[in-house]
C-alpha cells in the first residue's frame, strides 16, 4: 500500500480509536501478519490492552486473523475497510436523505459499533427516538 494510504489509515485510527490503537494498527500495516506475542513484545504494551484493541478492530472488520503454519494466530490489518471509514458521514447522510431520521440513526449505530446484533441496534435507535420525542414535547 502507498505511503499516503498508510498515513490516512493512521490518522483515521487515531481519530476514531485513540493513540494506542493507532500504534497497533500502524505496526500491523508496516509489519504485515504478526502473532499476538510479537505485537506485545515489539510495541511494549500490556497484553490486555493489545487484546482489547484487536477485539475492537476485529469487530469493525479492520483486522483479519488466520493460523500460521505453526498453528499460532496471526493478525493482519485490512487497509481498504480502514480507508472506507472516511465515507461513513456520506453513508449516514445518504440514509437520512433517502429514508429519514430512523434510517440515519440505524446506519449511525451500525457504523459506530461494528458488528452488532440487530435487536440491540433497533433497541438503541428506539430509545434515542423516544428520548428525542420527550425532549421536543
Amino acid at each position: 500500500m502507498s505511503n499516503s494510504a498508510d498515513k490516512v489509515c493512521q490518522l483515521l485510527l487515531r481519530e476514531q480509536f485513540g493513540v494506542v490503537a493507532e500504534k497497533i494498527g500502524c505496526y500491523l500495516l508496516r509489519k504485515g501478519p504478526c502473532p499476538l506475542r510479537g505485537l506485545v513484545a515489539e510495541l511494549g504494551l500490556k497484553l490486555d490492552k493489545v487484546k482489547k484493541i484487536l477485539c475492537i478492530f476485529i469487530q469493525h472488520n479492520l483486522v483479519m486473523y488466520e493460523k500460521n503454519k505453526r498453528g499460532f494466530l496471526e493478525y493482519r490489518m485490512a487497509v481498504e475497510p480502514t480507508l472506507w471509514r472516511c465515507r461513513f458521514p456520506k453513508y449516514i447522510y445518504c440514509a437520512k436523505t433517502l429514508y429519514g431520521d430512523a434510517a440515519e440513526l440505524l446506519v449511525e449505530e451500525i457504523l459506530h459499533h461494528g458488528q452488532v446484533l440487530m435487536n440491540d441496534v433497533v433497541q438503541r435507535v428506539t430509545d434515542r427516538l423516544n428520548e428525542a420525542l420527550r425532549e421536543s414535547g
Side-chain angles (χ1 to χ4, degrees):
M1 189 59 48
S2 70
N3 282 341
S4 59
D6 288 349
K7 185 67 175 171
V8 171
C9 286
Q10 176 183 355
L11 293 171
L12 285 168
L13 291 174
R14 179 186 300 171
E15 179 183 311
Q16 296 176 4
F17 299 104
V19 176
V20 177
E22 172 198 7
K23 189 174 184 180
I24 292 170
C26 288
Y27 182 79
L28 287 173
L29 283 171
R30 279 192 322 271
K31 175 86 171 160
C34 185
L36 179 62
R37 295 284 177 198
L39 275 170
V40 171
E42 288 291 322
L43 297 174
L45 299 170
K46 292 186 178 185
L47 180 63
D48 296 0
K49 191 73 167 170
V50 174
K51 281 183 178 180
K52 286 178 185 176
I53 290 173
L54 285 175
C55 284
I56 291 169
F57 282 170
I58 290 167
Q59 183 173 350
H60 286 272
N61 297 316
L62 302 178
V63 164
M64 306 301 159
Y65 58 92
E66 59 190 15
K67 285 188 177 181
N68 64 11
K69 294 173 186 170
R70 294 182 181 164
F72 295 110
L73 284 180
E74 287 187 332
Y75 299 91
R76 173 180 52 84
M77 196 74 191
V79 177
E80 286 192 15
T82 306
L83 293 173
W84 294 338
R85 298 184 74 79
C86 288
R87 301 178 186 166
F88 282 8
K90 288 181 183 180
Y91 300 156
I92 294 167
Y93 176 75
C94 185
K96 181 179 177 106
T97 56
L98 291 175
Y99 304 108
D101 292 338
E104 173 192 15
L105 294 175
L106 277 170
V107 170
E108 188 178 310
E109 284 291 323
I110 292 168
L111 294 177
H112 179 71
H113 292 287
Q115 298 176 27
V116 63
L117 294 174
M118 189 52 122
N119 292 340
D120 295 340
V121 172
V122 170
Q123 185 61 49
R124 285 187 193 121
V125 169
T126 303
D127 292 345
R128 286 176 66 182
L129 287 171
N130 288 336
E131 183 179 314
L133 283 174
R134 273 186 254 125
E135 287 176 2
S136 67

